[in-house]
Amino acid sequence: KEKLLAYTQTDTYPSLLEGYASSIAKTLTKPGTVLLVREADLVYADRIQKAFSLPCEVKADDSIVIGGIRGLVADETLDSKLEAQYEWFFANSGLTIV
């Protein structure tokens, strides 16, 4: 644990976070993803957002003690459910709009 905490103080740690953000972006592909980091890593929020390549939010999570990124996507709004229905309809109806 101590060695990992020491690593988070090195010049290479921000690049590791960027790599993690890029990797998470391959799985969590929706804009609006929330990326969680430890409080001390909020200073890298701009670099993380740029590496994620989609609009995302970087927030502190007290449960992350050593470092890294946790990605969350949760959208249980009626707006998103309606939007999903549009996408499904266009994909499955066989109709085209000219």
Side-chain angles (χ1 to χ4, degrees), residues 5-28:
L5 283 169
Y7 175 72
T8 66
Q9 301 304 310
T10 67
D11 292 338
T12 57
Y13 178 64
S15 296
L16 178 74
L17 291 176
E18 291 171 342
Y20 287 164
S22 179
S23 177
I24 291 170
K26 293 174 185 171
T27 304
L28 303 179

Side-chain angles (χ1 to χ4, degrees), residues 39-72:
E39 182 82 30
D41 292 341
L42 285 176
V43 297
Y44 306 119
D46 288 342
R47 292 177 71 164
I48 291 168
Q49 288 170 324
K50 185 176 180 182
F52 192 72
S53 302
L54 291 169
C56 67
E57 186 175 354
V58 179
K59 290 184 172 184
D61 181 344
D62 293 338
S63 71
I64 301 173
V65 177
I66 299 172
I69 300 173
R70 179 178 300 126
L72 300 175

